[in-house]
Amino acid sequence: MTGVSYLAVAPEIILTAGAVVVLMVDVFALPSSRVHGWLVSATYALVAIAIGFQWRRVDIDGPGLSFGGTLLLNHLSVTVRAVLLVTAVLGTAAAWRMLVGLRRRAAEGVALVMVATVGFMLMGASADLVMTFVALEVGSIALYVLAGIVRSSPAGDEAAMKYFLLGAFASAIFIYGGALVYTATGSTNVYEIAARLSGVHVVRPAVLLIGIGLIVVGLGFKVTAAPFHSWAPDVYQGAPAGVVGFMAAVAKIGGFAALLNILTGGFERYSGAWGDGLALVAAVSVILGTLMAIQQSDVRRMLAYSGVAHAGFILTGLAAGLVASSGVLFYLATYSVMVVGAFAAVTAVSGHAATGSSFEEYRGLARRSPVVAAVLATLMIAMSGMPLTTGFIGKFQVFTSAWEGGYEWLVITGLLASVAAFFFYLRLVVVMYFGGEDGDGTTLEVARSIRWVLVVSAGASVVLGVFPGPLLDVLNRVGA
């Protein structure tokens, strides 16, 4: 099927329409934040229904291509959409106080969140390099604006500018890699590329391999893999705290989904070459991310470098190819929930529009807000990979796939980095519970929407760590 299928893009259509409605209602009716909340909730509910219909269609009719073969409807693309929807719901709730504080520009913030989600959903469904690039730009531009949406913050302006400049550079690298791939194969469609490569023997594949490498570099920027991560610490620290968790999660989901689609769909024949390249990037990411996170005195920068290390862990599984897709998706889904929850806690402690979040602000947090401290401690323990948490299950999944794929050295590197990472995760827990009283000791006021995000993220990190079977059963169908 290569014709027009509106079901294949139903979630994106609904989100785009929702963004337009929010903006138009804001212009003509000047509604309260409650009205915006109902509009956003209705939009997300309709998207969830559309994703359910998509899953059923794939179960009945099997995978299919639409819009000239550029968009794929299969279990992978539907799963990515579902993960992005959950991230958008949690991210919007965590950022709600910040969005309301924007007053007349609140609708702009809500619309940008929806548009960013649309872009990264399309990345997860793209079966063509040109479509991937368009989707990448749609999602990225929305994130650039979100990073600097609080106009009174010079740090936010700096973060947005750095994100934009480095993002434009990475996009240029990606599109140049796509051009080289087109030169070598005569197509930008990943399935046509796979068919052509299976029917011919490329004597000198240098142009093709360079093109694949440049595509990986361009998407490596989005997933904050080292050494393409230099933007992340400054952006995570300078952007408004309320929206950073959403920014960090959706970019990773979209980037890794695109890597799965492109590498396993179009270049499986060269999996040995790109697998070794991904393994090298993964090793650099886990080592550099862990070592730099240990040195940080700001929680947001620590989480940024932690994200670099987690990108390395996900790449560890991705290096093994399509057989690791369920483990990669489990890691992506659970890490996204954890990082949104962690930044929701940062927002509760430092304020929704603050920049920077020193460790000293968390001293004695267990006495000022036991719930926030307990949730943040749970999330730190889960991110470290402690047993009975999603972090442990996710690492077990990707390490097992990498070991079976012949990357024993990479698994050992990841295990050593995981042990070292306990230092900076547990350091924050020690500061919160044993660091003494800070400031005047007043009780921390936490917005209801943030409390909801904290409970969901911490609960999911524990429940899915103890009972991962149902989610893994669903995700195993993606790689079937």
Side-chain angles (χ1 to χ4, degrees), residues 4 16 26 46 54-55 61 70 123 155 159 163 173 177 187 234 274 290 323 346 365 369 372 384 386 397 409 477:
V4 175
T16 303
D26 184 71
L46 290 173
Q54 285 184 328
W55 186 272
D61 298 335
T70 60
M123 283 184 70
Y163 198 5
I173 292 176
S187 177
D234 292 336
W274 58 255
T290 301
V323 294
V346 170
L365 181 62
S369 180
V372 174
S384 69
M386 282 278 195
Q397 292 291 315
W409 65 272
R477 300 177 64 179

Side-chain angles (χ1 to χ4, degrees), residues 25-67:
V25 169
D26 184 71
V27 169
F28 292 108
L30 302 177
S32 65
S33 60
R34 184 179 297 272
V35 174
H36 286 319
W38 282 111
L39 290 173
V40 172
S41 299
T43 301
Y44 288 156
L46 290 173
V47 172
I49 294 171
I51 290 174
F53 278 113
Q54 285 184 328
W55 186 272
R56 180 173 175 80
R57 170 63 67 83
V58 175
D59 278 344
I60 296 174
D61 298 335
L65 291 169
S66 59
F67 294 95

Side-chain angles (χ1 to χ4, degrees), residues 83 222-225 248-249 251-260 263 274-275 278-279 281-283 285-286 306-321 324-336 338-339 391 394-399 401-402 410 414 418:
V83 174
K222 280 290 134 196
V223 303
T224 64
K252 266 192 172 57
I253 297 168
F256 277 114
L259 281 172
L260 268 173
L263 295 180
W274 58 255
L278 290 183
V281 174
S285 297
V286 296
S306 165
V308 175
H310 283 290
F313 292 130
I314 298 173
L315 286 171
T316 298
L318 188 57
S325 58
S326 60
V328 168
L329 288 174
F330 183 90
Y331 204 126
L332 268 177
T334 54
Y335 172 74
S336 299
M338 287 189 290
V339 77
K395 288 182 180 179
F396 179 80
Q397 292 291 315
V398 296
F399 286 165
S401 298
L410 180 57
S418 297

Side-chain angles (χ1 to χ4, degrees), residues 17 47 51 70 107 136 141 187 196 199 226 243 295 378 402 408 421 473 476:
V47 172
I51 290 174
T70 60
L136 173 65
I141 291 172
S187 177
R196 295 183 185 188
V243 79
Q295 303 177 38
T378 301
E408 295 89 349
D473 289 342
N476 283 333

